[in-house]
Amino acid sequence: MVSSPEMQFDNYRPRGEKVAAERKPRKSKTGLLLFILCLAIAGLVVFEVKTSYYQAKFLHQYAKTLTYQLLPEATTAVVYPSYGPFDERHGYSQLPEKLARLAERNFQITQQVAFSPRLQQYANLGFFPPYHEKAQSGLSLLDCGRRDLFSFAYPKRAYQDRDVIPKEIVNTLLFIENREMWTTEAKLNPVVDWPRFVVAGFSQIAEMLGANVSTAGGSTLATQIEKFRHSAHGLTLSIKDKLLQIGSASIRVYQQGEQTEPARKRIVQDYLNTVPLSSAPNYGEVHGIGDGLWAWFKTDFDFANTLLKSPHTAENAVRRGQVFRQIVALMIAQRRPSYYLLKGHGDLEVLVDSHLRLLEKFNLIEPALMSATLAQKLEFNTTKSHDFGQSNVDKGINSVRIRTAGLLGMNLYELDRLDLKASTSLHGELQRQISEYLRSLSQVESARDVGLLGARLLQADKLEEVLYSFTLYQKTATANKVRIQTDSTDQPFDINEGSKLELGSTAKLRVLATYLEIVAELHQKFAPKSVSELYRVDIEAKDHITRWVVDYLIQTRNTNLKQMLDAALQRKYSASPHERFFTGGGLHVFNNFRKEEDKRNPTLFQALQDSVNLPFVRLMRDLVNYSSSYNNDGSLAQLLRNDKDPRREEYLRAFADREGAIFVSRSYQKYQNMTTAQRLELFFNSIGQADHKLAASYRYLLPDESVASFKRFLERRLPDFHADNRQIERLYYKYGPDKFNLSDQGYIARVHPLEMWVLSYLIEHPEATQAQVREASRPKRQEVYRWLFRTRHKNARDVRLKVMLEVEAFLNIHARWVRLGYPFAHLVPSLGSALGSSGDRPAALAELMGIIQNNGYRLPTVKLDELHFAESTPYEVVLAHQNKEAEYVMRPEVAQTLKAALANVVQQGTARRLKGSFKDGQGLDLAIGGKTGTGDNRIVTEMRFGKKVATTAMNRTATFVFYLGDDYFGTLTAFVPGTQADDFSFTSALPLQVFKGMLPILSPYLQRPEPICD
């Protein structure tokens, strides 16, 4: 019974008890003793129910044995919860699965909590381990110096201090849910309200016996908290569930001592922070009064508490009444939150009014507050903008979140709510400064100060359309640590790791690395041979690389690999544009960037220095010829050397089976672990936008699709393709599945026929294993190769052979590029790949630069150093990243030769504006090298007489991939997406100037003798 207007935990007085009437003595002494015993037991029970004196002692002593400690090693002495919304949201119940997953990804447990034997027994019985559960938790990211980078608290708004909760909220909650909490008994167990519990028990029994009675609820705030947090689905589904809730809550109450007043205050605080309040549209799950106020009414939590703690005045009466009405509504709504908060607004209003009158009647709120509150109506928030996520997180930080989510197999929404602290390799302060610098470049004044306005740079009115991405890595003994990763856009698009862009001449670095690796392989093969043996080496006429290596060894007898590689860079290649190249299934013409380069005949060293196009196109042709020459054992070209050999037929069969199996396996690996839609998307993206290629491959892969589906496909793939229904039908039937064999289909689509067959097989058998696909492909493997040697038309055979040879050669070149970090599953089989037509990714270019910087070793790239789950809980565990051994992917001599050539690009070539810009700690020039590239990605929209006469810009890029000193490397990219790229003509001079403008920010860190994060 409430007796005062400001009733709190310390002002409740229990009602008096009636004195039992005197009873007449029993005649029998036994009966008298039995009566006295019963009376004593009853008195003891009443005393215990009213004071909890004995259970306080027992439960406190037992709770003290339920301990755990953090060990400096992994342990199995821990029992993880199997269900419960709180445990699932914080990740506790998923930890066994996550720990196993992380172990497979090179994370090792360094610290883990171990339960005491008593706590293990207790948890195995189904009880919930007692500990002070967190009011808020969520993902926290630390930088490499253990400074805060990012934090997400859930719920976002919570009471951190139980003494700051306004008395009106406490009184309202206890009046509605648990009035026995007002007790003055110091040791009373607040978990069980005995009168309500007994009534609820009898009603449950009656219902089980078939009686038509309404079941009464016996839950207290303490048991409701256990239910909300730890019971399956947040519900009480059985008597066992209720007993587990009561037992767990009782142990939790007495864990810190026999006195329960602190525990009762904490129960109120935890309930207000925990109570589930349905899911708000565009917000997600709502837990706690604080988030409930914001999600359902757009009321600020701090403002609401300040208002309720303020004296009631005429000025604040309306707003105070609104806030208090909202709070009362949320407390009532928790009984049926999905009904009351989503559609039962009228019923909720009625209940709020009736409760307000009762609160005032029992002096729990001021009459003025009741009147002000009754005068208001609930106004539910209907706006669509909520802060339930982190949409504008810095890109480097977001990349760590994405990486962590991928490691754990969850989405970002789930990740942010985990009880997890992750240590990253990023340098927070440097990350912040570089991010601010890149964003400032959209302002005219900043751009002018950095020198971004002018020819081959930018115009003042176009600055905001240019995006910048920058990444800096630091080489350590065991890994490449990402120190900065950021860009100037707030959009989800990740230029650095999530893009596929034409980065122009940066592809020349990949071509040159492949060339030098081949020279090194040939050196290993031929250097041990004598001059006479070298003269007898049979070399394919078009294999100029092997020819040069053999001639070099014959003429110089110099077997020093480094000197041979230096000499290989002095080979000259013409820059003349007056040659047509058969590539990609047709004749193509390539141009240099500057007309004055057309008459040059530079060495490869000079061509890299000045980024001259045509020498690299010709070098790529040599790589293709080498990859398809007979010196590369088992190639298709070997079969053309002797058409009259009687063993040719047998050899062809063996060759077709062996080589075909290789291409089948490669194709299977390309499309494995994808849905049919993803496989088709990848395939059609790789074949270009020619209507005959798309038509032929579509009709082969999807032969049962209708003309209407075929038309929709072409319209989606070719936005500028305009054809009437008759033309569509003509294409549909021209390339029908019965019109061409598999080899013809591959030739028309300019892909390996076996790739088309594998994709077709996987469409029909999406769950097929690689072994099953290889076995089913046996007849097709023979078919694809044998027809080439039976056709009577030599010219047709030669053209198809050239296409096939080039496709196969690019498969080999692609494998080499992947070894050096190339990120995509496909290379365009065209010499244009030497100039960037196959696309690239800034992060992948940086990985190649890291291999060069690490003297030919590919070190793992690390963003996450440590994961710390469930700190200060019974489930605490710490994992550290265990770096994989460095992978040897490039000969050290090749890496050294490339590094010197890249240094020359800065000293004498296209990046010379950076010469002398960076200094070390002694004021000397810091070693710097790199490669520039400009990409102008366009779609041809009109052709006349085989020439492009109209194109549409897709994007424009300019990139600089670099190394700094002996420890740092990275990339800087300028990017304009979409058709607005037509308005820009900047070159790689732009990222160079932006990089130069970073000098004041980077220099203080690069000049320090100690590591950047110390």
Side-chain angles (χ1 to χ4, degrees):
M1 189 78 176
V2 177
S3 59
S4 72
E6 294 189 0
M7 189 163 291
Q8 293 288 308
F9 289 101
D10 55 354
N11 61 6
Y12 177 81
R13 296 293 183 271
R15 301 188 181 104
E17 298 290 340
K18 294 181 180 180
V19 180
E22 295 185 359
R23 301 183 181 275
K24 295 180 180 180
R26 301 277 186 180
K27 293 180 180 180
S28 169
K29 290 183 179 181
T30 303
L32 179 62
L33 290 174
L34 185 60
F35 172 75
I36 293 172
L37 179 61
C38 291
L39 192 62
I41 292 174
L44 183 63
V45 169
V46 170
F47 174 77
E48 184 63 20
V49 166
K50 298 179 84 174
T51 66
S52 302
Y53 180 82
Y54 294 104
Q55 63 182 292
K57 289 184 177 295
F58 171 77
L59 293 178
H60 174 57
Q61 292 302 318
Y62 178 69
K64 290 198 311 185
T65 68
L66 305 178
T67 60
Y68 54 87
Q69 63 175 327
L70 187 63
L71 301 180
E73 59 188 1
T75 179
T76 57
V78 56
V79 181
Y80 290 104
S82 56
Y83 43 65
F86 181 89
D87 301 312
E88 291 175 358
R89 185 169 65 251
H90 288 76
Y92 305 151
S93 59
Q94 306 161 28
L95 269 175
E97 172 199 340
K98 302 305 180 191
L99 295 180
R101 183 182 177 95
L102 289 168
E104 296 172 354
R105 289 158 175 79
N106 302 306
F107 278 86
Q108 182 178 350
I109 295 175
T110 58
Q111 298 180 73
Q112 189 171 18
V113 155
F115 284 16
S116 67
R118 279 286 184 88
L119 183 56
Q120 289 186 65
Q121 295 171 0
Y122 179 83
N124 282 324
L125 290 173
F127 293 102
F128 317 132
Y131 65 99
H132 191 179
E133 294 165 336
K134 302 175 183 179
Q136 291 174 300
S137 68
L139 178 66
S140 175
L141 298 181
L142 306 178
D143 80 347
C144 58
R146 309 292 292 184
R147 297 172 290 263
D148 288 337
L149 267 181
F150 168 91
S151 62
F152 185 96
Y154 186 84
K156 284 192 173 185
R157 304 154 189 87
Y159 289 111
Q160 302 293 345
D161 185 351
R162 56 201 177 204
D163 293 325
V164 303
I165 306 173
K167 64 182 181 182
E168 290 86 356
I169 295 180
V170 175
N171 287 339
T172 301
L173 174 63
L174 297 185
F175 181 78
I176 294 174
E177 294 292 340
N178 200 168
R179 300 178 193 180
E180 290 299 315
M181 290 272 282
W182 271 313
T183 184
T184 57
E185 290 290 347
K187 298 182 180 181
L188 184 69
N189 186 350
V191 175
V192 182
D193 183 341
W194 287 105
R196 291 171 60 193
F197 182 76
V198 171
V199 172
F202 278 119
S203 64
Q204 291 282 349
I205 293 172
E207 184 182 39
M208 292 171 59
L209 295 174
N212 185 16
V213 295
S214 60
T215 56
S219 294
T220 59
L221 290 180
T223 57
Q224 287 188 64
I225 292 171
E226 300 295 332
K227 175 181 68 174
F228 295 155
R229 288 183 170 179
H230 305 297
S231 294
H233 309 295
L235 301 172
T236 303
L237 301 176
S238 66
I239 294 177
K240 178 183 177 182
D241 287 345
K242 177 58 69 178
L243 294 177
L244 290 176
Q245 293 162 13
I246 293 172
S248 300
S250 297
I251 293 295
R252 201 183 302 277
V253 162
Y254 291 109
Q255 185 184 32
Q256 301 302 319
E258 297 179 23
Q259 305 288 328
T260 62
E261 182 178 2
R264 282 181 275 130
K265 290 185 177 181
R266 190 173 67 246
I267 287 170
V268 170
Q269 177 188 355
D270 287 347
Y271 183 90
L272 292 172
N273 291 335
T274 297
V275 58
L277 296 169
S278 191
S279 293
N282 304 300
Y283 189 93
E285 286 185 311
V286 182
H287 287 88
I289 294 296
D291 277 8
L293 283 171
W294 180 257
W296 292 110
F297 304 109
K298 212 61 176 288
T299 296
D300 181 77
F301 183 51
D302 293 333
F303 171 76
N305 285 296
T306 301
L307 197 62
L308 288 179
K309 280 184 168 291
S310 303
H312 193 87
T313 66
E315 289 75 19
N316 67 16
V318 173
R319 196 70 187 100
R320 212 162 175 256
Q322 288 175 340
V323 166
F324 189 60
R325 188 175 189 86
Q326 292 165 1
I327 291 172
V328 175
L330 291 175
M331 290 182 183
I332 297 170
Q334 67 83 19
R335 298 173 179 175
R336 295 176 62 193
S338 295
Y339 170 72
Y340 287 127
L341 295 173
L342 290 170
K343 55 186 178 181
H345 295 173
D347 292 342
L348 184 59
E349 295 272 21
V350 172
L351 287 172
V352 170
D353 287 345
S354 62
H355 279 77
L356 286 170
R357 295 186 180 95
L358 288 172
L359 288 169
E360 192 273 333
K361 177 181 179 181
F362 289 103
N363 299 320
L364 295 176
I365 60 172
E366 304 166 2
L369 178 59
M370 183 203 69
S371 300
T373 307
L374 283 173
Q376 307 306 314
K377 292 295 180 183
L378 296 174
E379 296 181 5
F380 284 82
N381 174 47
T382 57
T383 61
K384 294 185 178 181
S385 58
H386 287 290
D387 59 345
F388 89 101
Q390 299 281 351
S391 58
N392 58 346
V393 179
D394 180 275
K395 279 299 173 59
I397 297 172
N398 206 44
S399 72
V400 176
R401 291 171 66 225
I402 293 170
R403 178 73 59 87
T404 307
L407 277 173
L408 299 175
M410 53 180 38
N411 57 45
L412 293 179
Y413 180 93
E414 296 167 330
L415 175 72
D416 286 344
R417 286 153 178 79
L418 282 186
D419 188 359
L420 171 62
K421 181 183 292 182
S423 298
T424 77
S425 66
L426 296 174
H427 189 288
E429 178 58 22
L430 198 49
Q431 173 91 7
R432 182 191 63 78
Q433 291 183 48
I434 295 296
S435 297
E436 290 179 356
Y437 165 74
L438 292 179
R439 290 188 177 93
S440 74
L441 299 181
S442 63
Q443 305 300 317
V444 175
E445 184 177 347
S446 297
R448 183 181 293 112
D449 290 343
V450 177
L452 301 188
L453 304 180
R456 296 184 180 176
L457 294 169
L458 299 175
Q459 300 173 10
D461 61 338
K462 299 290 185 182
L463 295 176
E464 293 185 355
E465 297 176 29
V466 184
L467 310 178
Y468 301 95
S469 173
F470 179 71
T471 306
L472 182 70
Y473 301 80
Q474 183 179 16
K475 180 187 74 174
T476 69
T478 57
N480 296 324
K481 299 293 185 75
V482 182
R483 297 307 186 199
I484 307 170
Q485 182 174 336
T486 186
D487 62 38
S488 60
T489 173
D490 293 330
Q491 299 303 313
F493 176 62
D494 186 346
I495 300 172
N496 187 64
E497 291 187 327
S499 63
K500 183 175 184 179
L501 303 172
E502 285 196 19
L503 299 179
S505 293
T506 55
K508 295 169 185 172
L509 177 57
R510 293 199 184 278
V511 175
L512 197 62
T514 304
Y515 165 65
L516 292 178
E517 274 291 295
I518 289 173
V519 170
E521 292 169 8
L522 292 171
H523 171 272
Q524 183 179 15
K525 181 176 182 179
F526 292 119
K529 294 183 182 294
S530 66
V531 172
S532 59
E533 289 175 318
L534 290 172
Y535 273 118
R536 291 195 296 271
V537 173
D538 190 9
I539 302 173
E540 185 72 22
K542 293 184 178 181
D543 184 5
H544 300 307
I545 298 177
T546 303
R547 179 78 272 164
W548 180 86
V549 169
V550 171
D551 288 349
Y552 175 87
L553 291 172
I554 290 173
Q555 294 165 12
T556 67
R557 293 309 301 153
N558 183 355
T559 59
N560 182 282
L561 176 57
K562 183 65 172 65
Q563 293 178 12
M564 176 184 274
L565 293 171
D566 289 338
L569 288 184
Q570 297 307 313
R571 291 181 63 211
K572 292 186 176 182
Y573 279 84
S574 170
S576 171
H578 305 301
E579 179 183 359
R580 294 193 299 172
F581 297 85
F582 184 86
T583 184
L587 292 174
H588 292 261
V589 175
F590 297 95
N591 297 297
N592 296 308
F593 183 73
R594 291 182 293 271
K595 290 293 183 182
E596 55 267 29
E597 296 170 342
D598 293 353
K599 296 181 179 180
R600 294 183 61 185
N601 189 34
T603 65
L604 289 174
F605 190 78
Q606 295 168 333
L608 184 74
Q609 167 188 299
D610 298 326
S611 200
V612 186
N613 287 347
L614 266 299
F616 282 92
V617 173
R618 291 183 168 93
L619 177 60
M620 180 63 96
R621 181 173 61 185
D622 279 358
L623 297 181
V624 169
N625 289 336
Y626 168 80
S627 298
S628 59
S629 74
Y630 76 96
N631 289 303
N632 193 19
D633 294 338
S635 72
L636 189 60
Q638 187 173 7
L639 302 181
L640 303 180
R641 293 177 56 79
N642 187 359
D643 285 347
K644 305 299 182 183
D645 191 329
R647 295 168 297 176
R648 181 171 174 274
E649 197 72 19
E650 179 182 350
Y651 187 83
L652 276 175
R653 285 196 295 270
F655 169 84
D657 189 68
R658 182 180 68 252
E659 291 298 292
I662 292 173
F663 293 122
V664 166
S665 296
R666 287 178 180 173
S667 299
Y668 179 86
Q669 291 164 8
K670 178 178 179 179
Y671 295 107
Q672 67 180 341
N673 300 325
M674 294 183 181
T675 64
T676 295
Q678 290 171 330
R679 288 165 176 161
L680 289 170
E681 186 72 14
L682 175 59
F683 176 82
F684 288 126
N685 284 342
S686 69
I687 66 172
Q689 295 187 305
D691 56 356
H692 63 283
K693 291 183 182 181
L694 292 171
S697 54
Y698 182 92
R699 293 290 286 124
Y700 176 78
L701 296 170
L702 302 167
D704 298 326
E705 292 294 322
S706 65
V707 175
S709 297
F710 177 67
K711 180 181 180 181
R712 288 193 297 271
F713 166 77
L714 290 179
E715 289 173 343
R716 182 169 62 87
R717 284 278 159 186
L718 304 170
D720 298 311
F721 178 73
H722 302 291
D724 57 29
N725 289 337
R726 183 176 299 177
Q727 292 172 303
I728 295 291
E729 288 184 8
R730 188 180 302 119
L731 279 174
Y732 180 83
Y733 291 110
K734 176 181 178 180
Y735 294 106
D738 57 334
K739 297 296 192 297
F740 301 96
N741 60 32
L742 176 58
S743 296
D744 285 337
Q745 296 279 17
Y747 171 71
I748 295 169
R750 299 300 191 266
V751 297
H752 199 290
L754 287 174
E755 179 180 347
M756 291 186 68
W757 180 87
V758 168
L759 181 54
S760 174
Y761 188 85
L762 288 175
I763 291 172
E764 295 182 12
H765 308 87
E767 303 300 324
T769 64
Q770 184 170 338
Q772 291 170 335
V773 174
R774 285 187 61 163
E775 181 61 30
S777 71
R778 285 185 181 277
K780 293 297 180 182
R781 299 198 310 249
Q782 295 294 323
E783 174 190 334
V784 163
Y785 288 95
R786 286 175 60 84
W787 78 271
L788 291 171
F789 303 92
R790 289 186 172 180
T791 179
R792 292 173 297 173
H793 304 288
K794 186 177 185 303
N795 183 59
R797 181 183 70 183
D798 289 346
V799 170
R800 285 163 172 76
L801 277 175
K802 286 180 181 180
V803 172
M804 182 72 76
L805 284 169
E806 189 174 47
V807 169
E808 293 186 1
F810 270 96
L811 287 171
N812 292 324
I813 293 170
H814 174 258
R816 291 178 178 274
W817 284 24
V818 167
R819 183 172 169 82
L820 299 180
Y822 187 71
F824 303 116
H826 178 76
L827 267 182
V828 178
S830 165
L831 300 182
S833 290
L835 307 180
S837 64
S838 285
D840 215 323
R841 187 173 282 164
L845 277 174
E847 186 169 8
L848 173 57
M849 189 61 74
I851 292 169
I852 296 170
Q853 183 78 307
N854 286 291
N855 216 29
Y857 285 88
R858 184 177 183 177
L859 297 179
T861 298
V862 173
K863 290 184 183 177
L864 284 170
D865 294 311
E866 184 181 270
L867 297 172
H868 191 166
F869 290 93
E871 186 176 8
S872 301
T873 77
Y875 313 115
E876 184 171 7
V877 58
V878 181
L879 301 96
H881 186 268
Q882 303 298 306
N883 295 320
K884 297 182 293 185
E885 291 187 7
E887 183 184 1
Y888 178 64
V889 297
M890 179 187 287
R891 289 166 177 79
E893 296 86 351
V894 173
Q896 294 160 14
T897 302
L898 287 170
K899 194 169 184 178
L902 293 170
N904 183 62
V905 172
V906 174
Q907 293 299 312
Q908 305 291 336
T910 55
R912 57 185 173 272
R913 68 174 60 210
L914 293 179
K915 181 179 180 179
S917 296
F918 291 87
K919 306 290 183 181
D920 62 17
Q922 287 72 44
L924 302 175
D925 286 351
L926 188 68
I928 179 173
K931 182 70 189 79
T932 59
T934 305
D936 188 16
N937 187 14
R938 294 174 173 273
I939 293 179
V940 178
T941 56
E942 188 176 351
M943 297 280 291
R944 290 180 185 172
F945 308 109
K947 295 184 179 181
K948 305 173 186 177
V949 296
T951 62
T952 299
M954 297 300 293
N955 57 62
R956 188 174 183 87
T957 64
T959 301
F960 181 54
V961 56
F962 62 88
Y963 68 82
L964 275 172
D966 294 326
D967 295 326
Y968 298 96
F969 60 95
T971 58
L972 175 59
T973 299
F975 173 65
V976 178
T979 55
Q980 62 263 37
D982 251 336
D983 299 329
F984 291 84
S985 58
F986 60 77
T987 65
S988 54
L990 177 59
L992 292 173
Q993 197 64 33
V994 172
F995 193 44
K996 192 173 183 179
M998 287 183 188
L999 178 63
I1001 302 174
L1002 291 177
S1003 291
Y1005 295 92
L1006 300 179
Q1007 292 171 0
R1008 294 163 56 185
E1010 66 272 13
I1012 193 172
C1013 275
D1014 285 357

